[in-house]
Amino acid sequence: MHDIALSNKTFKLEHDPYIYQLQDTTEPELFREMFPYTETPKIAFNYRRVPENMPEDIFITDTTFRDGQQSRTPYTTDQMVHIYKLLHELGGPKGMIRQTEFFVYSEKDRKALEKCMELGYEFPEITTWIRASKQDFELVKSIGIKETGILVSCSDYHIFHKMGLNRKQALDKYLSIVKECIEAGLRPRCHFEDITRADFYGFVVPFANSLMELSKESGVPVKIRACDTMGYGVPYPGAALPRSVSGIIYGLQHYSDVPSEMIEWHGHNDFYKGVVNATTAWMYGASAVNCSLLGIGERTGNVPLEAMVFEYASIRGHLNGMNTKKITEIAEYLQNETGYDIPPMTPFVGENFNLTRAGIHADGMMKNPEIYNIFDTESILDRPPKVSVNNASGLAGVAYWVNEYRRKLGLAELSKKDELIEKIYAWVTSEYEAGRITIISDGELTQKYKEFAG
């Protein structure tokens, strides 16, 4: 028999939700109909739609120093400190980048963490990611950390095939670890690894229920990070679990009573859905989306932090204090100081993201940059739109380049019929008629400009 009670969320009479119990099994549930492995994964629909429930306070958390270091040359201590400062400046005074997580196992990482703590910033709050052991809890507590991430893999792929346990054994192990974390005086952040291949009602919900009970008993908030470890999550309304992002977030709130501020989405980009899945998580009730700078991370990478800056601004209509020009500074620092090679077509930070090559596009840019530029990239990102000069640029492309160059020198704009522009265009044409196939570099154009300008 179900009782009815007035909900403090919807303020309507509701049936008490069914309390899901752990479904222990002898064989793993691998959802082979969705994940056949020898074929591409399948997206199933059951047409069950859940209500949107975007929290008033949504924000970004960062994993640049944790997941972001797993797929590239590790940062030096000084580089980590500098990047942390830039994250602080990008997030602004209202702490839109609320937290960032560090490893603590190497001396380099610990030193970087300590130096960042010495800066005394409120945001991003420094947290850690550790192995689940008493020794590690004591280590991070001694450093002065208040919150730490704990890996609690929740799909049968991990429980049965990686850990060699059954669900009951895994649940008991995880709960004992979380209790130890709380006893050590830390706030646990439980990383529900591989949630998009997990038995949601048979393991995820019962486990989340146990964590919320533990939180109530101890008075310590327990955060759940829903990890789309393999990028299987989908944002489509009516998609079936375990792949439905909206279903996962709604289920954690509705069946396990996890508050929005304790739900964090951590996505990967294996199927090009990293950004849209993170936004969907926000829209359906997660306060936090976990990202890394430039999306650098395991395999295809994490959700790019800079993308979620613009997703926030697009949804809310303002930046809430975030300094978007720091995105360009961060990208330049990562490329020039850490040796990271940014693919040129990368949105917001790639060399070519606001560059046009076609002459007809350049002609439009000269008349009004809004025609081919996504927004005022100069005022927002400190990146004025650019035109590259090649065999398709035409006279308009050369004129645009010349006038941008002159603008930097404080000189007046020239007509595309100006003799100087026609001379440079004639030289460009002769280069390609002679068999050239590469673009004309800025350095070559600068040299020719000075030569023809006298």
Side-chain angles (χ1 to χ4, degrees):
M1 175 178 170
H2 289 283
D3 293 328
I4 61 171
L6 186 67
S7 167
N8 60 6
K9 294 177 185 172
T10 65
F11 305 104
K12 293 184 288 190
L13 289 172
E14 293 183 358
H15 273 284
D16 283 348
Y18 178 78
I19 304 300
Y20 289 92
Q21 304 295 321
L22 177 73
Q23 296 173 29
D24 207 11
T25 60
T26 55
E27 295 296 321
E29 170 56 87
L30 303 179
F31 298 98
R32 280 294 180 216
E33 68 281 5
M34 288 189 196
F35 308 111
Y37 194 61
T38 54
E39 301 171 26
T40 55
K42 317 299 179 189
I43 300 172
F45 289 82
N46 58 13
Y47 305 105
R48 293 176 190 165
R49 300 190 177 211
V50 297
E52 287 187 23
N53 185 32
M54 181 178 277
E56 183 178 359
D57 185 26
I58 58 173
F59 50 86
I60 295 165
T61 62
D62 173 68
T63 187
T64 295
F65 304 124
R66 203 269 300 175
D67 211 337
Q69 281 202 104
Q70 293 177 177
S71 63
R72 54 150 295 142
T73 306
Y75 299 115
T76 66
T77 298
D78 288 344
Q79 286 170 350
M80 290 170 77
V81 173
H82 189 76
I83 293 166
Y84 178 72
K85 288 177 182 176
L86 291 173
L87 280 169
H88 168 74
E89 292 166 5
L90 170 57
K94 296 182 181 177
M96 278 301 300
I97 302 175
R98 197 68 50 91
Q99 294 178 316
T100 185
E101 58 187 313
F102 284 72
F103 283 124
V104 289
Y105 295 117
S106 73
E107 187 181 341
K108 169 182 69 75
D109 287 331
R110 280 196 302 276
K111 194 172 177 183
L113 185 155
E114 287 163 3
K115 283 193 169 185
C116 289
M117 288 189 78
E118 285 169 10
L119 294 170
Y121 297 153
E122 183 180 3
F123 303 114
E125 178 191 357
I126 294 171
T127 72
T128 57
W129 186 95
I130 60 174
R131 292 175 301 233
S133 75
K134 224 167 199 168
Q135 185 179 353
D136 286 2
F137 292 141
E138 294 303 330
L139 169 66
V140 298
K141 190 186 175 187
S142 68
I143 296 171
I145 299 299
K146 295 185 174 70
E147 177 178 308
T148 189
I150 305 166
L151 184 63
V152 286
S153 308
C154 61
S155 78
D156 286 353
Y157 286 85
H158 288 255
I159 292 169
F160 282 78
H161 293 321
K162 186 175 80 173
M163 299 165 63
L165 303 174
N166 61 36
R167 292 180 184 177
K168 178 71 166 60
Q169 290 168 332
L171 183 70
D172 290 344
K173 179 181 178 181
Y174 296 157
L175 289 174
S176 68
I177 291 163
V178 174
K179 284 175 186 173
E180 284 183 9
C181 181
I182 290 171
E183 286 165 8
L186 296 165
R187 301 191 312 257
R189 183 182 63 243
C190 298
H191 292 209
F192 278 41
E193 186 182 20
D194 206 25
I195 199 168
T196 45
R197 285 194 298 183
D199 186 338
F200 192 75
Y201 297 111
F203 185 80
V204 173
V205 170
F207 180 29
N209 287 341
S210 297
L211 289 174
M212 291 304 103
E213 286 171 19
L214 193 56
S215 178
K216 283 175 189 171
E217 289 168 11
S218 64
V220 175
V222 176
K223 190 176 290 181
I224 291 177
R225 178 181 288 183
C227 301
D228 184 18
T229 306
M230 303 294 285
Y232 288 128
V234 294
Y236 314 128
L241 287 166
R243 298 189 68 178
S244 168
V245 176
S246 57
I248 289 168
I249 303 303
Y250 171 82
L252 289 171
Q253 285 195 306
H254 190 69
Y255 298 113
S256 299
D257 210 24
V258 186
S260 286
E261 61 272 20
M262 290 295 111
I263 301 177
E264 185 178 29
W265 177 262
H266 171 96
H268 281 262
N269 202 37
D270 297 75
F271 293 91
Y272 282 106
K273 295 186 179 72
V275 172
V276 69
N277 282 342
T279 306
T280 300
W282 263 346
M283 291 173 69
Y284 283 87
S287 282
V289 292
N290 188 238
C291 311
S292 70
L293 289 171
L294 278 56
I296 301 168
E298 189 85 355
R299 298 184 318 281
T300 58
N302 296 84
V303 177
L305 188 147
E306 62 278 8
M308 298 314 295
V309 169
F310 289 105
E311 287 289 284
Y312 179 91
S314 299
I315 291 168
R316 291 291 168 92
H318 58 82
L319 285 160
N320 203 27
M322 288 184 282
N323 182 352
T324 49
K325 289 185 178 181
K326 291 295 168 181
I327 290 171
T328 299
E329 189 176 338
I330 287 165
E332 289 173 350
Y333 182 81
L334 290 175
Q335 186 154 279
N336 299 332
E337 299 298 326
T338 79
Y340 182 72
D341 188 19
I342 302 173
M345 74 292 292
T346 306
F348 310 128
V349 294
E351 184 183 354
N352 296 345
F353 99 93
N354 64 340
L355 175 143
T356 185
R357 292 186 174 90
I360 191 169
H361 290 189
D363 194 49
M365 291 278 281
M366 286 180 70
K367 291 168 182 168
N368 188 332
E370 286 188 54
I371 296 172
Y372 287 112
N373 205 27
I374 58 171
F375 49 64
D376 185 351
T377 56
E378 183 168 16
S379 68
I380 294 172
L381 285 168
D382 208 17
R383 291 275 301 270
K386 299 188 300 179
V387 166
S388 73
V389 175
N390 58 23
N391 60 331
S393 297
L395 189 62
V398 173
Y400 188 93
W401 186 94
V402 168
N403 282 320
E404 277 299 297
Y405 180 73
R406 288 175 63 83
R407 187 174 67 85
K408 291 174 189 172
L409 298 175
L411 300 174
E413 187 173 299
L414 300 177
S415 160
K416 68 179 179 182
K417 294 180 180 177
D418 189 274
E419 183 182 359
L420 173 59
I421 290 173
E422 288 183 340
K423 281 182 179 179
I424 296 173
Y425 175 63
W427 171 76
V428 169
T429 302
S430 69
E431 285 287 297
Y432 288 106
E433 285 176 351
R436 179 169 181 155
I437 58 172
T438 58
I439 65 166
I440 309 285
S441 71
D442 285 349
E444 290 173 283
L445 287 165
T446 301
Q447 184 182 347
K448 286 297 171 186
Y449 175 90
K450 289 177 179 176
E451 181 184 322
F452 294 135

